[in-house]
Amino acid sequence: MKETIRKLARQFKAGRKTAGRTTRNVIVLKNKKGYDDCIRHLKAAGIRPVKTVRRCRLIGCEAPRNVDWTSLKRHPSVAYIEKDRLVKAHGKPVKSGPSRGKQTNRSCRIDPAKIPWNIARIEAPPVWKRTLGRCAKLAVVDTGIGPNPDLSVAGGVNTINGGSFKDNNGHGTHVAGIAAATGRKRLYGAAPKVRLYAVKALDEFGFGFVSDIAEGIDWCVKNRMDVINMSFGLAGESRVLREAVARARRKGIVMTASSGNDGPNNARIDAPARYAGVLGIAATTRRNRVASFSSRGRGIALSAPGVDILSTAPGHGYVRMSGTSMSSPHVAGGAALLRSLAPGKPAACIARKLVANAKPLPGGRRAVGAGLLQVAPAAEALRPGRCRPSCAGSRLRVKRRRRG
């Protein structure tokens, strides 16, 4: 490997002299020893990786486009090398100004006025009498989260540069609010007391490299997340992303992903929504019809509201956005509620209950999957185990509205 990497380094040097464009590539090794050897030889040859994830045996390198990777690909320690592809967020702002709500009294009661139509539509509030999701850990792999008065972030990671996981785009904060807004100020999400974690793997423009996503999923596995939401997609193929999802699946994590915003004429839904072990989610309107922009294809499991959805924005505001990005966190929050009710149930069991109890919708399975997410019937169908002690006191009373 030493001599192979030396030859590669000479190509790097020649490519830099021509001032050509660069591209990111991912080297995946077969074992930890091969990974350690490759890192050592790269550094000795003056090649500084932009990404290293030892648990995944993954090394990311930025190189001139004319570099020939063939020799390294053929090395017996190398599993494969692929282009580090870009994924993009599946949400877009609605053309309306930001919405700011008046500060309300913090209370231990559920205020019906703070339940958005979309959260009511998926029948999450009836489950809150049993749990608000306090038992579960939900990770949002996105542009970061918050801050916002209606969000409580338990922790997180920035896989782009190791810095803050705060949101500098707005997409991740909006997604997080749909799944987990606390209702302390303006609105509730599907699981108001879930333990929310920010995995910042998309940049300020809503784009991210697959290697950063893979590192984020690995962080979720290492930190024992129960649910992962991925409101982004890749039209092409990535073995790195597929294998990262497979590792999370083997660890029993429920994964939800947006199907894409390419409408009815796309060839297939985006990855990772189409991968095994991931619930691909389509978007529906307020009239319970598939949204015009929602991608169609095999792999869609469920549908949830995704048009003109009000949710949290960084700072103190609230904005409306549309996209399958907005649909996916409804299901992630619903899965967190079910996992909270039955912590020992396998991810596949949670997913089956959500799919089996969906409300049928017109359009066919390639458009809406099994239908509209219905959390309450799924919770009833799930035979609950004893909940963890941390869930004690999660039942809240519903505050009655005064009649004027």
Side-chain angles (χ1 to χ4, degrees):
M1 180 177 284
K2 182 177 180 180
E3 187 56 36
T4 302
I5 290 178
R6 279 183 175 178
K7 291 179 181 178
L8 197 66
R10 287 195 286 271
Q11 291 187 56
F12 273 49
K13 188 175 181 180
R16 292 192 190 102
K17 285 182 179 179
T18 61
R21 296 180 65 184
T22 62
T23 184
R24 278 179 54 148
N25 295 272
V26 181
I27 308 164
V28 179
L29 285 301
K30 291 180 180 179
N31 52 53
K32 297 292 175 63
K33 183 181 183 303
Y35 171 89
D36 292 337
D37 288 344
C38 190
I39 288 286
R40 185 173 68 256
H41 294 315
L42 285 170
K43 290 182 177 178
I47 300 175
R48 184 177 179 181
V50 295
K51 173 74 59 180
T52 56
V53 187
R54 191 172 189 272
R55 282 168 54 93
C56 304
R57 307 182 308 281
L58 180 154
I59 303 169
C61 291
E62 188 167 353
R65 285 196 168 187
N66 60 354
V67 166
D68 184 2
W69 296 90
T70 305
S71 296
L72 189 58
K73 281 182 180 180
R74 292 173 178 171
H75 194 279
S77 295
V78 176
Y80 60 92
I81 299 175
E82 71 174 33
K83 183 180 178 182
D84 199 356
R85 300 183 183 278
L86 280 171
V87 303
K88 64 176 180 179
H90 282 155
K92 51 187 178 181
V94 174
K95 292 183 178 179
S96 62
S99 173
R100 290 181 177 269
K102 293 181 179 180
Q103 183 71 40
T104 56
N105 234 358
R106 293 185 183 180
S107 170
C108 64
R109 300 178 179 181
I110 293 290
D111 183 352
K114 297 180 185 177
I115 301 175
W117 73 268
N118 48 294
I119 299 300
R121 184 67 55 85
I122 64 169
E123 293 198 15
V127 183
W128 296 347
K129 296 176 182 179
R130 298 168 63 188
T131 181
L132 289 159
R134 196 187 302 266
C135 287
K137 297 166 74 174
L138 190 158
V140 174
V141 182
D142 215 292
T143 61
I145 300 178
N148 184 281
D150 263 330
L151 292 173
S152 179
V153 182
V157 66
N158 179 330
T159 62
I160 300 172
N161 56 27
S164 169
F165 52 72
K166 289 182 180 179
D167 190 2
N168 56 356
N169 173 276
H171 185 271
T173 302
H174 195 274
V175 167
I178 296 168
T182 62
R184 288 180 298 189
K185 181 180 178 184
R186 178 73 185 274
L187 50 77
Y188 292 106
K193 293 292 184 181
V194 73
R195 294 170 65 186
L196 178 65
Y197 292 82
V199 179
K200 183 176 176 60
L202 305 185
D203 64 18
E204 65 268 30
F205 305 108
F207 288 89
F209 285 101
V210 162
S211 62
D212 293 329
I213 301 295
E215 184 180 6
I217 294 173
D218 179 67
W219 184 92
C220 292
V221 170
K222 182 180 178 181
N223 288 277
R224 299 182 179 181
M225 295 295 117
D226 293 296
V227 183
I228 299 174
N229 183 80
M230 297 176 284
S231 288
F232 54 80
L234 172 69
E237 188 54 61
S238 170
R239 185 173 169 182
V240 169
L241 182 57
R242 185 187 290 273
E243 290 182 353
V245 163
R247 285 191 292 271
R249 180 189 183 188
R250 289 194 293 269
K251 292 298 182 179
I253 299 175
V254 181
M255 290 173 283
T256 66
S258 48
S259 62
N261 298 338
D262 295 324
N265 299 318
N266 61 300
R268 58 181 179 176
I269 65 173
D270 283 356
R274 65 174 182 264
Y275 289 163
V278 180
L279 290 168
I281 313 302
T284 55
T285 68
R286 197 157 186 161
R287 298 178 64 185
N288 284 353
R289 296 294 184 268
V290 62
S292 60
F293 57 77
S294 188
S295 293
R296 274 71 156 178
R298 292 181 59 185
I300 294 177
L302 289 164
S303 303
V307 178
D308 201 19
I309 305 299
L310 180 69
S311 187
T312 47
H316 296 272
Y318 299 81
V319 296
R320 296 183 184 276
M321 295 183 73
S322 294
T324 54
S325 272
M326 286 60 253
S327 305
S328 183
H330 287 87
V331 184
L337 290 177
L338 266 61
R339 179 54 64 86
S340 182
L341 285 172
K345 292 292 183 182
C349 177
I350 300 292
R352 281 196 301 269
K353 296 303 180 185
L354 291 172
V355 171
N357 290 278
K359 179 180 180 179
L361 297 178
R365 296 193 72 90
R366 292 175 67 90
V368 296
L372 181 68
L373 171 68
Q374 300 287 272
V375 184
E380 286 299 320
L382 185 72
R383 185 176 297 173
R386 179 172 293 180
C387 203
R388 298 168 186 166
S390 60
C391 292
S394 65
R395 293 178 59 182
L396 301 186
R397 292 174 292 170
V398 176
K399 185 168 65 178
R400 295 180 182 177
R401 294 185 183 180
R402 294 181 180 179
R403 295 183 179 179

